[in-house]
Amino acid sequence: SDYDEVTQRYRLQETVGSGGFAKVKLATHILTGEKVAIKIMDKRALGDDLPRVQTEIKAMKELVHQHICTLYEVIETSNKIFMVLEYCPGGELFDYIVAKDRLKEDEARMFFRQIVSAVAYIHHKGYAHRDLKPENLLLDEDQSLKLIDFGLAAKPKGGMKEQLETCCGSPAYAAPELVSGKTYIGSEADIWSMGVLLYALLCGFLPFDDENVAHLYKKIQKGEYEEPRWLTPGSRQLLKQMLQVNPKKRITMKELLKNPWLLQGFDVPIDWESKCEKEQLNADCVTEMAVFNNVSRKEMASKIKKWEYDETTTIYFLLLANKYNGRTLRLPLRT
Ligand SMILES: COc1cccc(Nc2ncc(-c3ccc(C(=O)NCC(=O)Nc4ccccc4)cc3)c(OCC3CCNCC3)n2)c1
């Protein structure tokens, strides 16, 4: 069946999310014992949206960053596409904010710097996210955030309008120019969405909200929102610059990266460059895999560098992730 290959290498566990054409199951990579997330899509259900999955996979292969969930492997069968992805043990940032009601300014800033880092990197690579919201931000261990795009929003073929109608959930994070159906620039719309995100982190509720979508659009286009008394002048100023209805007056990513409120307590600009680009292989991981496969390091390195997004890519990324969080993952020697 469609699941034969994936069940040989992964133990599928509970479903943690489903939306639109995708379902996500947590799973364990049998060889290493590491947890992964597997996004399962049915080709028939996708219909003529299938090209968007290819677009997303192409995007994911280019977007390798410490604050973006890594794609490890793609398994395609006659009816299904399985994307094996980095698992984030902390679940959604959305649930974290709800549990804490709202975040203290320092914690909000610590998270928001990571979000800006991921989005600046995506923009640098020529992409726009277009669906930034707390449900698409996952917590890794030790308070680090990973950006995902669960709803296949990355570079939708139509404008966002069609994207808004099709995708579930409210457009509470969508920019005014976008809900007005105007042509818009993805990166400018992402800045607005990050402003709504920052507001939600600091306040615990949304700046523009209404159960009637038409009324919600009106509020977004008006751009007026409450400022709770606990907001500091620095955060009010930044929110004002991000939640500018006119996209040409909105703060740019360049200005955002050196915004004084974001620098407070860190005094170093936000480092948005990727720390885990694919160009430079980690020597220890190559060695460990060479020993495991009983081949030379040179041979192993050239196999990894093909980036076929098969089991070799998965093992390399899983070993690399463990280097970062200090755990040494040992491949079981082949019996
Ligand atoms: C929620 O329950 C829990 C509880 C405990 C742990 C976890 N852990 C856990 N880890 C990993 C995932 C995941 C990662 C990536 C993708 C993905 O679709 N990547 C594709 C992608 O990111 N493209 C892309 C990114 C940037 C630019 C362009 C394209 C999908 C899912 C997950 O999902 C759960 C869903 C549930 C519904 N809301 C969204 C998340 N959940 C989840």
Side-chain angles (χ1 to χ4, degrees), residues 16 37 39 56 60 63 86-88 92 135 138 148-149 154:
V16 282
K39 180 150 126 177
E56 160 143 276
M60 293 290 312
L63 300 170
E86 181 176 356
Y87 166 74
C88 300
E92 295 179 0
E135 296 87 332
L138 302 181
I148 71 166
D149 176 6

Side-chain angles (χ1 to χ4, degrees), residues 11-216:
R11 190 159 28 84
L12 294 181
Q13 285 146 271
E14 69 272 23
T15 298
V16 282
S18 57
F21 343 93
K23 166 169 78 166
V24 173
K25 280 183 165 300
L26 298 192
T28 301
H29 181 235
I30 293 165
L31 180 71
T32 61
E34 290 292 296
K35 273 189 172 295
V36 296
I38 301 188
K39 180 150 126 177
I40 305 165
M41 288 163 281
D42 186 290
K43 290 184 191 174
R44 293 157 298 194
L46 278 164
D48 60 11
D49 277 311
L50 194 55
R52 282 163 77 177
V53 176
Q54 304 311 347
T55 307
E56 160 143 276
I57 290 169
K58 182 175 171 296
M60 293 290 312
K61 290 180 175 179
E62 282 183 64
L63 300 170
V64 182
H65 186 272
Q66 55 276 16
H67 294 306
I68 295 177
C69 254
T70 307
L71 174 69
Y72 295 147
E73 183 172 353
V74 180
I75 299 173
E76 185 167 351
T77 63
S78 42
N79 299 312
K80 301 279 182 188
I81 297 177
F82 300 89
M83 288 171 72
V84 182
L85 296 140
E86 181 176 356
Y87 166 74
C88 300
E92 295 179 0
L93 176 64
F94 181 85
D95 298 322
Y96 184 86
I97 304 171
V98 166
K100 298 193 84 169
D101 188 16
R102 62 181 160 94
L103 305 187
K104 288 193 183 58
E105 187 167 83
D106 292 350
E107 191 177 25
R109 178 182 296 113
M110 183 268 295
F111 280 136
F112 194 66
R113 282 172 63 98
Q114 299 177 58
I115 297 168
V116 172
S117 169
V119 179
Y121 172 78
I122 292 176
H123 290 180
H124 173 73
K125 289 279 188 175
Y127 289 93
H129 189 281
R130 292 187 171 78
D131 194 16
L132 294 166
K133 54 189 178 184
E135 296 87 332
N136 276 337
L137 284 156
L138 302 181
L139 286 160
D140 204 357
E141 50 253 337
D142 62 43
Q143 304 294 50
S144 89
L145 275 185
K146 302 274 179 179
L147 174 63
I148 71 166
D149 176 6
F150 182 64
L152 291 173
K155 282 190 163 309
K157 59 179 186 301
M160 193 63 172
K161 198 118 183 67
E162 151 259 340
Q163 176 65 13
L164 281 184
E165 254 94 61
T166 48
C167 90
C168 50
S170 84
Y173 295 82
E177 67 270 18
L178 201 147
V179 298
S180 317
K182 295 175 190 153
T183 50
Y184 66 93
I185 295 175
S187 53
E188 291 173 350
D190 280 349
I191 297 282
W192 172 279
S193 303
M194 284 197 287
V196 176
L197 252 173
L198 178 60
Y199 186 99
L201 289 172
L202 290 166
C203 304
F205 49 84
L206 293 167
F208 314 106
D209 206 357
D210 201 299
E211 65 280 354
N212 176 304
V213 177
H215 294 164
L216 174 59

